[in-house]
Amino acid sequence: MTRRIRIGVDVGGTFTKAVAIDMMNGAIVGKVTVPTSHSSSGGVSNGIVLALTDLIKNQHIETSEIELISHSTTQAVNALLEGDTSKVGIIGMGVGLEKSNVIKRTSVTDIELAPNKYLKTCYRFLDTSKFLEEHEVITAINELKSEGADVLVVSEAYGVDDPSNELFVMKMSDIPATAGHELTGIYGLEIRTLTAAINAGILIKSINTTKFVESAMQQQGITAPLLIMKGDGGITDMITFKTKPILTILSGPAASVAGALLHLRVFNGIFVEVGGTSTNVCIIRNGRPEIKYVTIMNHPTCIKSLDVRVVGVAGGSLVRWSGKKITDVGPRSAHIAGLTYSCYADPQELEGGQIITFMPKEGDPIDYIAIESSGAKRFAITNTCAANALGLIPENDYARGNQESARLALSILAQRIGITMEQVAESILDLSGKKVLEVINVLSKNYKLKNDRTVLIGGGGAASVLVPYIARKANREYKIAEHAEVISSIGVATAMIREEREKTVNNPTAEETSSLMKEVEKVAISKGALPESLTIQSEYISERSLLRVTTYGNISLDIGTANAKEIGDEEARVLACELFGINDGIRRIFDMKNYYVFACEIHKKKLFLKSRRQSILVLDKYGRIRLSIENGMIYSGPAQHVMNKFEIFFNECRDGRKSNDLAPQIHILDGTKIIDFSSLTSSEQVLKAVKKELIKSGTNEVTVILKI
């Protein structure tokens, strides 16, 4: 039987890892790890190609068996952090009467990306109160090029409403160009221009990366589609990456979370990905990761990504000391210093070794320590060494090393400090764990997560080094993701499509919301999402007059589609109980084609008062969480029947509100997709929109869920 192979490649700060999955049965065919090629001529592209070719060769994969290749990358964020950006020429545009205001908001000066690292800019203004002439556009572009601009940004006031002038200027450009309207549909000229400038700064690098990878695939005879992970957890095509590389910021952590959600079906949790150099922490609520706008060195942007907090400590972090005690762990790692972990050395290599101090990189403090053997070879003391010395790493775990070597290395350090080996190891893990735990506590407070219901999920090659230790210290439950060391690559290979559009609008009508929903749905399907897998959500942020529509869906080749195992009724019930956090007492609501809908009554007691609410959970036929509501009502059955019941309730509800015209949040399940009308705040608008959707429903069986 011919295999259907899907390959996911994740580019981490230390290693690039690739995994091949047979989509016929969901089994992992093979996995490969190579060092990330930051310093090579082709940048991280070399590591991607090497991992890909090694995997194909080692597992004897025929190119005809490969149906899809997708990857995540750290290139965008690394380029920004390192200041490895192109000089950006900005053309601001507006009508003459607003010239001074437009210039003020589009003339973005050099942007600080990291300490002493800047994105350089230069600027010209064009008056669009009259028809733009080709010669004046070309003159402006040439002047910017003469000042060193390698890439162009075009940003016009109200360009999101009418982008024709921005498109005209881009068409005239003979250097790579990007425009504000391409990245967002919201007003805010300054933030739109800033976002476009940051995107432009890494545009040329992304174009070169794409060309390199695509060329290598052609040489290998691979014709399968090539996709890339976005920072919001969805994936997109390489055409998008060529024009909008900023979308891939934090795509590595996004890939890991996607993998964890696939394998563990986490409802509420904190994902802790422990790599070699850094640890990423992200919140999962109601089955989805938290997402927010990206801020780059205090510069807010229009781009949304997972709310990931990066901690400069991980499995390979180096130990620092004062000569008398351990003072810190990290942020430099053994990989940066080019050292082997002590726990991966042969015990004989460490015998007679001495503690020395050194600088991992030029300009670093000289308080980092290592063991220097009699043969002048150096070995690092890391968190992984400490965990192995204490016997905390299970058999066959990716981070498992030689316990004898680990204990010997820690004993050499302990002897210099004057404490026991166990105390040294505990001290190292304590210092590291506290850094991660501080971030976990901040996120828990920000998102109001309760400790007793929030599990820690460990991912990354060093998950077993820190996650169990942190969980024990914090008295929290934890899980280690299956295939933790390549969980990000699995996530890349099996990620969902996620598309979002935002539009500035005052009091959106049903027609405006429906139009934006159709636009997003069309884009998602064009990028490979199965129509029947789509979940469409809308949100209206009144204080910003912002309408936002988001759709989630499985790729047509996703592991959760053809030939994948669907869950049965009993398995769905057990899963729902687990996600509700109860042993029994749930009800199956209606039998829909692609969904399991469950409800249960949750009783709460606060002081002397008791309250009762109905929690609702919607799973798809593969057990993935599609919707979760803490307190709601359900109407199910034929479309006309549901519409009548809903209208009666809605009118009663509206009459009870009197002057308060706010509508409840409403979701419609028509058997193939989920539609969310929570963006509509007017009772008349929401009633009209729901009626319209129910009337055009192609099925007699629908479910309406109201969030109370």
Side-chain angles (χ1 to χ4, degrees):
M1 182 183 294
T2 303
R3 297 181 297 182
R4 293 174 51 231
I5 302 296
R6 196 160 169 186
I7 296 176
V9 184
D10 175 61
V11 183
T14 305
F15 294 111
T16 295
K17 300 176 181 180
V19 63
I21 300 175
D22 185 351
M23 306 308 285
M24 297 294 287
N25 54 23
I28 292 180
V29 174
K31 44 194 176 183
V32 165
T33 300
V34 300
T36 295
S37 52
H38 292 294
S39 57
S40 65
S41 58
V44 298
S45 306
N46 288 91
I48 294 172
V49 173
L50 179 60
L52 184 60
T53 53
D54 280 0
L55 186 62
I56 291 172
K57 180 181 178 181
N58 295 347
Q59 301 302 324
H60 308 290
I61 298 172
E62 298 292 334
T63 55
S64 60
E65 295 179 308
I66 304 173
E67 63 181 20
L68 184 71
I69 297 173
S70 52
H71 73 92
S72 65
T73 177
T74 59
Q75 187 171 44
V77 69
N78 285 342
L80 294 173
L81 291 175
E82 295 164 10
D84 186 13
T85 54
S86 304
K87 187 169 184 177
V88 178
I90 301 172
I91 292 182
M93 299 186 294
V95 298
L97 294 176
E98 298 179 352
K99 178 178 178 179
S100 59
N101 184 43
V102 172
I103 290 176
K104 179 181 178 181
R105 298 172 66 190
T106 58
S107 181
V108 178
T109 56
D110 292 352
I111 303 168
E112 185 179 15
L113 301 172
N116 300 317
K117 303 287 185 180
Y118 293 87
L119 187 154
K120 302 289 186 179
T121 65
C122 47
Y123 181 81
R124 291 295 183 277
F125 174 80
L126 292 177
D127 188 346
T128 53
S129 58
K130 55 183 178 59
F131 184 77
L132 281 177
E133 299 288 348
E134 286 190 17
H135 70 87
E136 63 177 326
V137 173
I138 293 173
T139 298
I141 293 172
N142 287 336
E143 288 176 353
L144 292 171
K145 287 167 59 180
S146 68
E147 293 184 33
D150 297 310
V151 64
L152 182 69
V153 161
V154 190
S155 187
E156 182 182 23
Y158 306 106
V160 295
D161 291 334
D162 180 9
S164 58
N165 285 327
E166 290 186 353
L167 292 171
F168 178 74
V169 174
M170 291 175 68
K171 186 178 179 180
M172 295 294 102
S173 179
D174 59 348
I175 57 176
T178 188
H181 80 272
E182 292 184 306
L183 296 169
T184 180
I186 64 174
Y187 295 151
L189 182 58
E190 186 172 354
I191 191 173
R192 202 164 66 239
T193 307
L194 175 69
T195 303
I198 294 173
N199 183 69
I202 54 179
L203 199 58
I204 293 176
K205 183 175 283 289
S206 70
I207 291 172
N208 292 337
T209 296
T210 304
K211 288 179 178 178
F212 187 96
V213 176
E214 289 178 336
S215 174
M217 287 181 62
Q218 290 175 0
Q219 292 175 14
Q220 292 287 324
I222 301 172
T223 58
L226 177 63
L227 301 178
I228 189 164
M229 193 87 180
K230 296 189 299 179
D232 61 14
I235 63 174
T236 189
D237 52 37
M238 295 302 283
I239 295 175
T240 302
F241 180 53
K242 288 179 184 178
T243 58
K244 306 172 186 176
I246 194 172
L247 296 180
T248 66
I249 285 180
L250 298 176
S251 65
S256 299
V257 174
L261 289 172
L262 174 70
H263 284 278
L264 295 181
R265 294 191 178 115
V266 179
F267 192 55
N268 289 307
I270 302 175
F271 187 76
V272 183
E273 183 199 15
V274 189
T277 304
S278 61
T279 295
N280 300 313
V281 184
C282 178
I283 294 293
I284 296 172
R285 283 204 307 179
N286 298 328
R288 288 202 177 99
E290 289 293 335
I291 293 175
K292 69 170 188 175
Y293 288 104
V294 175
T295 298
I296 298 173
M297 279 297 289
N298 298 320
H299 303 297
T301 74
C302 301
I303 303 304
K304 300 187 79 177
S305 177
L306 269 68
D307 185 4
V308 177
R309 310 297 169 91
V310 181
V311 188
V313 67
S317 297
L318 294 167
V319 175
R320 303 167 70 177
W321 78 337
S322 64
K324 296 182 179 179
K325 67 175 184 177
I326 296 170
T327 57
D328 203 358
V329 182
R332 290 300 192 190
S333 68
H335 311 281
I336 293 295
L339 300 182
T340 300
Y341 294 18
S342 298
C343 61
Y344 296 140
D346 189 276
Q348 284 73 28
E349 294 181 283
L350 299 172
E351 289 180 357
Q354 298 293 322
I355 298 296
I356 57 103
T357 57
F358 73 107
M359 292 186 296
K361 289 289 184 180
E362 188 66 33
D364 284 344
I366 199 169
D367 61 349
Y368 287 90
I369 62 174
I371 294 177
E372 188 169 86
S373 68
S374 55
K377 188 175 181 180
R378 292 182 179 180
F379 298 92
I381 297 176
T382 67
N383 280 313
T384 303
C385 300
N388 273 283
L390 294 175
L392 302 179
I393 309 298
E395 290 279 358
N396 302 319
D397 190 272
Y398 185 80
R400 178 83 173 195
N402 187 314
Q403 188 173 4
E404 182 183 351
S405 298
R407 292 179 67 84
L408 178 56
L410 271 294
S411 295
I412 293 171
L413 176 57
Q415 188 175 9
R416 285 291 304 271
I417 297 176
I419 57 178
T420 67
M421 183 278 297
E422 289 79 9
Q423 288 173 321
V424 168
E426 287 277 355
S427 176
I428 292 170
L429 294 178
D430 271 341
L431 284 168
S432 302
K434 284 178 182 177
K435 292 182 179 181
V436 179
L437 198 53
E438 283 177 8
V439 173
I440 290 173
N441 290 336
V442 168
L443 284 171
S444 296
K445 183 177 180 180
N446 289 349
Y447 290 108
K448 300 178 181 178
L449 295 180
K450 297 180 180 179
N451 289 0
D452 58 346
R453 293 188 61 189
T454 307
V455 63
L456 299 185
I457 307 102
S464 294
V465 173
L466 287 180
V467 175
Y469 191 85
I470 293 169
R472 189 174 79 245
K473 291 289 184 179
N475 194 28
R476 288 178 181 258
E477 181 187 350
Y478 79 91
K479 296 179 182 178
I480 301 297
E482 186 180 2
H483 305 293
E485 77 280 7
V486 290
I487 196 67
S488 51
S489 300
I490 293 173
V492 172
T494 55
M496 296 172 65
I497 287 284
R498 181 186 185 278
E499 288 297 323
E500 182 177 274
R501 294 293 183 275
E502 294 179 326
K503 183 178 180 180
T504 302
V505 57
N506 289 317
N507 197 20
T509 64
E511 287 75 16
E512 287 173 319
T513 303
S514 178
S515 175
L516 199 57
M517 282 181 167
K518 289 178 181 177
E519 178 186 336
V520 176
E521 181 180 2
K522 183 178 179 180
V523 172
I525 292 173
S526 72
K527 293 187 176 181
L530 281 172
E532 63 268 25
S533 73
L534 293 180
T535 299
I536 305 173
Q537 299 177 333
S538 64
E539 177 185 12
Y540 183 62
I541 305 172
S542 57
E543 63 269 21
R544 296 174 55 197
S545 298
L546 181 66
L547 174 63
R548 176 185 300 146
V549 174
T550 308
T551 183
Y552 296 86
N554 298 333
I555 292 180
S556 57
L557 302 177
D558 190 68
I559 196 169
T561 59
N563 300 311
K565 180 180 179 296
E566 298 180 15
I567 63 173
D569 291 354
E570 179 59 21
E571 188 177 357
R573 189 194 68 79
V574 171
L575 178 58
C577 285
E578 179 184 340
L579 294 173
F580 278 129
I582 60 178
N583 296 321
D584 204 352
I586 66 170
R587 307 188 315 278
R588 172 86 180 274
I589 307 295
F590 212 60
D591 186 9
M592 304 199 77
K593 178 182 177 182
N594 290 310
Y595 301 104
Y596 293 96
V597 184
F598 293 98
C600 75
E601 287 190 356
I602 304 294
H603 297 268
K604 279 195 168 184
K605 184 175 181 180
K606 189 174 183 180
L607 295 177
F608 301 105
L609 301 176
K610 290 184 178 180
S611 65
R612 186 175 65 182
R613 58 183 168 81
Q614 179 176 241
S615 293
I616 302 168
L617 177 68
V618 179
L619 304 174
D620 67 16
K621 57 186 176 181
Y622 306 105
R624 292 174 176 165
I625 301 166
R626 293 304 191 192
L627 181 65
S628 172
I629 291 178
E630 288 189 0
N631 190 21
M633 296 184 64
I634 300 177
Y635 295 107
S636 294
Q640 185 62 50
H641 170 75
V642 169
M643 187 165 65
N644 293 338
K645 296 281 287 184
F646 168 73
E647 189 169 6
I648 292 171
F649 166 81
F650 198 82
N651 287 331
E652 291 176 349
C653 186
R654 182 178 54 184
D655 292 341
R657 288 194 186 91
K658 295 181 180 179
S659 61
N660 186 354
D661 195 39
L662 292 177
Q665 294 184 22
I666 298 172
H667 305 79
I668 295 179
L669 285 72
D670 64 2
T672 58
K673 61 181 180 294
I674 303 175
I675 303 173
D676 172 9
F677 289 99
S678 60
S679 69
L680 302 177
T681 57
S682 163
S683 295
E684 293 301 327
Q685 289 175 357
V686 76
L687 184 58
K688 182 179 178 181
V690 171
K691 277 186 175 182
K692 183 178 179 180
E693 190 63 37
L694 290 174
I695 290 171
K696 74 176 186 179
S697 174
T699 175
N700 290 325
E701 301 175 350
V702 296
T703 296
V704 173
I705 300 176
L706 300 89
K707 181 178 180 181
I708 301 174

